[in-house]
Short mmCIF file of all heavy atoms in Angstrom, two decimals:
data_model
loop_
_atom_site.label_atom_id
_atom_site.label_comp_id
_atom_site.label_asym_id
_atom_site.label_seq_id
_atom_site.Cartn_x
_atom_site.Cartn_y
_atom_site.Cartn_z
N LEU M 25 25.78 18.17 -1.72
CA LEU M 25 25.93 17.37 -2.80
C LEU M 25 26.93 16.28 -2.63
O LEU M 25 28.22 16.64 -2.61
CB LEU M 25 26.20 18.18 -4.07
CG LEU M 25 25.33 19.34 -4.36
CD1 LEU M 25 25.75 20.06 -5.67
CD2 LEU M 25 23.83 19.05 -4.40
N ASP M 26 26.55 15.16 -2.29
CA ASP M 26 27.50 14.01 -2.19
C ASP M 26 28.66 14.38 -1.21
O ASP M 26 29.76 14.06 -1.46
CB ASP M 26 28.13 13.63 -3.56
CG ASP M 26 27.16 13.06 -4.50
OD1 ASP M 26 26.45 12.07 -4.08
OD2 ASP M 26 26.94 13.47 -5.62
N GLY M 27 28.26 14.91 -0.06
CA GLY M 27 29.22 15.25 0.89
C GLY M 27 29.03 14.52 2.21
O GLY M 27 27.91 14.10 2.59
N GLY M 28 30.11 14.26 2.92
CA GLY M 28 29.98 13.46 4.14
C GLY M 28 30.69 14.18 5.34
O GLY M 28 30.13 15.20 5.96
N GLY M 29 31.93 13.84 5.62
CA GLY M 29 32.73 14.47 6.67
C GLY M 29 33.45 13.34 7.40
O GLY M 29 33.58 12.21 6.96
N PRO M 30 34.07 13.63 8.64
CA PRO M 30 34.16 14.98 9.21
C PRO M 30 35.24 15.85 8.64
O PRO M 30 36.11 15.48 7.80
CB PRO M 30 34.46 14.63 10.62
CG PRO M 30 35.34 13.44 10.52
CD PRO M 30 34.92 12.69 9.31
N ILE M 31 35.24 17.13 9.08
CA ILE M 31 36.18 18.19 8.74
C ILE M 31 36.87 18.59 10.01
O ILE M 31 36.23 18.45 11.14
CB ILE M 31 35.42 19.42 8.10
CG1 ILE M 31 34.84 19.11 6.70
CG2 ILE M 31 36.40 20.53 7.99
CD1 ILE M 31 35.93 18.76 5.68
N ASP M 32 38.18 18.91 10.02
CA ASP M 32 38.82 19.38 11.18
C ASP M 32 38.12 20.42 11.84
O ASP M 32 37.71 21.38 11.22
CB ASP M 32 40.25 19.78 10.93
CG ASP M 32 41.27 18.57 10.41
OD1 ASP M 32 40.78 17.58 10.68
OD2 ASP M 32 42.33 18.91 9.96
N GLY M 33 37.86 20.25 13.16
CA GLY M 33 37.28 21.41 14.05
C GLY M 33 35.73 21.18 13.89
O GLY M 33 35.15 22.12 14.46
N SER M 34 35.22 20.19 13.44
CA SER M 34 33.72 20.02 13.26
C SER M 34 33.14 19.08 14.29
O SER M 34 31.96 18.76 14.26
CB SER M 34 33.28 19.61 11.94
OG SER M 34 33.84 18.27 11.61
N ASP M 35 33.92 18.65 15.24
CA ASP M 35 33.38 17.80 16.31
C ASP M 35 32.35 18.48 17.05
O ASP M 35 32.46 19.69 17.43
CB ASP M 35 34.48 17.36 17.18
CG ASP M 35 35.58 16.42 16.67
OD1 ASP M 35 35.15 15.89 15.48
OD2 ASP M 35 36.67 16.39 17.18
N GLY M 36 31.20 17.82 17.29
CA GLY M 36 30.05 18.39 17.95
C GLY M 36 29.26 19.21 17.05
O GLY M 36 29.76 19.99 16.16
N CYS M 37 27.99 19.37 17.36
CA CYS M 37 27.09 20.21 16.47
C CYS M 37 26.01 20.72 17.34
O CYS M 37 25.56 20.13 18.25
CB CYS M 37 26.50 19.32 15.47
SG CYS M 37 25.63 20.11 14.10
N VAL M 38 25.67 22.07 17.00
CA VAL M 38 24.67 22.69 17.74
C VAL M 38 23.37 22.07 17.48
O VAL M 38 23.19 21.34 16.44
CB VAL M 38 24.56 24.20 17.32
CG1 VAL M 38 25.77 24.93 17.66
CG2 VAL M 38 24.14 24.27 15.87
N SER M 39 22.31 22.20 18.45
CA SER M 39 21.06 21.60 18.11
C SER M 39 20.08 22.50 17.48
O SER M 39 18.91 22.15 17.21
CB SER M 39 20.53 21.17 19.61
OG SER M 39 20.30 22.38 20.34
N ASP M 40 20.47 23.85 17.18
CA ASP M 40 19.64 24.67 16.51
C ASP M 40 19.05 24.05 15.16
O ASP M 40 19.97 23.54 14.32
CB ASP M 40 20.29 26.02 16.26
CG ASP M 40 20.59 26.86 17.39
OD1 ASP M 40 19.98 26.48 18.58
OD2 ASP M 40 21.47 27.67 17.48
N PRO M 41 17.96 24.23 14.79
CA PRO M 41 17.39 23.73 13.51
C PRO M 41 18.10 24.54 12.38
O PRO M 41 18.40 25.76 12.52
CB PRO M 41 15.91 23.79 13.53
CG PRO M 41 15.77 24.92 14.49
CD PRO M 41 16.78 24.78 15.47
N ILE M 42 18.09 23.97 11.17
CA ILE M 42 18.55 24.66 9.88
C ILE M 42 17.97 24.02 8.72
O ILE M 42 17.89 22.83 8.64
CB ILE M 42 20.05 24.75 9.80
CG1 ILE M 42 20.65 25.61 8.76
CG2 ILE M 42 20.65 23.37 9.80
CD1 ILE M 42 22.17 25.85 8.71
N GLY M 43 17.55 24.69 7.83
CA GLY M 43 17.04 24.30 6.58
C GLY M 43 18.14 23.42 5.94
O GLY M 43 19.33 23.83 5.80
N ALA M 44 17.80 22.17 5.44
CA ALA M 44 18.81 21.42 4.76
C ALA M 44 18.31 20.49 3.61
O ALA M 44 17.16 20.03 3.68
CB ALA M 44 19.40 20.38 5.82
N MET M 45 19.11 20.48 2.56
CA MET M 45 18.85 19.62 1.55
C MET M 45 20.04 18.75 1.20
O MET M 45 21.18 19.21 1.11
CB MET M 45 18.54 20.45 0.20
CG MET M 45 18.33 19.72 -1.07
SD MET M 45 17.91 20.84 -2.42
CE MET M 45 17.62 19.51 -3.72
N VAL M 46 19.88 17.46 1.12
CA VAL M 46 20.96 16.47 1.01
C VAL M 46 20.72 15.76 -0.40
O VAL M 46 19.60 15.16 -0.49
CB VAL M 46 21.00 15.42 2.10
CG1 VAL M 46 22.22 14.41 1.81
CG2 VAL M 46 21.33 16.21 3.44
N VAL M 47 21.62 15.83 -1.28
CA VAL M 47 21.58 15.04 -2.58
C VAL M 47 22.70 14.00 -2.64
O VAL M 47 23.79 14.33 -2.37
CB VAL M 47 21.70 16.08 -3.74
CG1 VAL M 47 21.62 15.19 -5.04
CG2 VAL M 47 20.72 17.16 -3.66
N HIS M 48 22.32 12.75 -2.85
CA HIS M 48 23.27 11.72 -2.70
C HIS M 48 22.97 10.57 -3.69
O HIS M 48 21.87 10.16 -3.83
CB HIS M 48 23.43 11.07 -1.39
CG HIS M 48 24.70 10.64 -0.91
ND1 HIS M 48 25.63 11.46 -0.38
CD2 HIS M 48 25.28 9.49 -1.01
CE1 HIS M 48 26.74 10.80 -0.10
NE2 HIS M 48 26.52 9.62 -0.46
N GLY M 49 23.98 10.10 -4.33
CA GLY M 49 23.91 8.88 -5.24
C GLY M 49 23.82 7.55 -4.41
O GLY M 49 24.70 7.39 -3.50
N VAL M 50 22.97 6.65 -4.92
CA VAL M 50 22.91 5.40 -4.12
C VAL M 50 24.12 4.56 -4.32
O VAL M 50 24.16 3.57 -3.55
CB VAL M 50 21.57 4.73 -4.58
CG1 VAL M 50 20.33 5.51 -4.17
CG2 VAL M 50 21.58 4.31 -6.04
N SER M 51 25.01 4.73 -5.30
CA SER M 51 26.21 3.93 -5.47
C SER M 51 27.37 4.75 -5.04
O SER M 51 28.48 4.44 -5.27
CB SER M 51 26.28 3.58 -6.90
OG SER M 51 25.22 2.80 -7.31
N ASP M 52 27.16 5.86 -4.16
CA ASP M 52 28.29 6.70 -3.69
C ASP M 52 28.30 6.60 -2.25
O ASP M 52 28.06 7.62 -1.57
CB ASP M 52 28.09 8.12 -4.10
CG ASP M 52 29.18 9.08 -3.74
OD1 ASP M 52 30.26 8.48 -3.43
OD2 ASP M 52 28.97 10.18 -3.69
N GLY M 53 28.82 5.48 -1.61
CA GLY M 53 28.81 5.39 -0.13
C GLY M 53 27.59 5.87 0.54
O GLY M 53 27.58 6.81 1.25
N ILE M 54 26.42 5.19 0.10
CA ILE M 54 25.14 5.80 0.58
C ILE M 54 25.03 5.96 2.11
O ILE M 54 24.32 6.80 2.63
CB ILE M 54 23.98 4.86 0.12
CG1 ILE M 54 22.56 5.63 0.29
CG2 ILE M 54 24.00 3.42 0.74
CD1 ILE M 54 22.47 6.86 -0.53
#
């Protein structure tokens, strides 16, 4: 919910798929 990043230690990301839902406001740094 209205989240971006990055977070310390989160450089790089696995390629494994994962279910994901992203909720974001169009006036909140879309």
Side-chain angles (χ1 to χ4, degrees):
L25 309 179
D26 292 309
I31 295 290
D32 289 350
S34 65
D35 293 341
C37 191
V38 297
S39 59
D40 294 341
I42 186 171
M45 178 178 182
V46 177
V47 182
H48 212 85
V50 298
S51 297
D52 182 23
I54 191 63

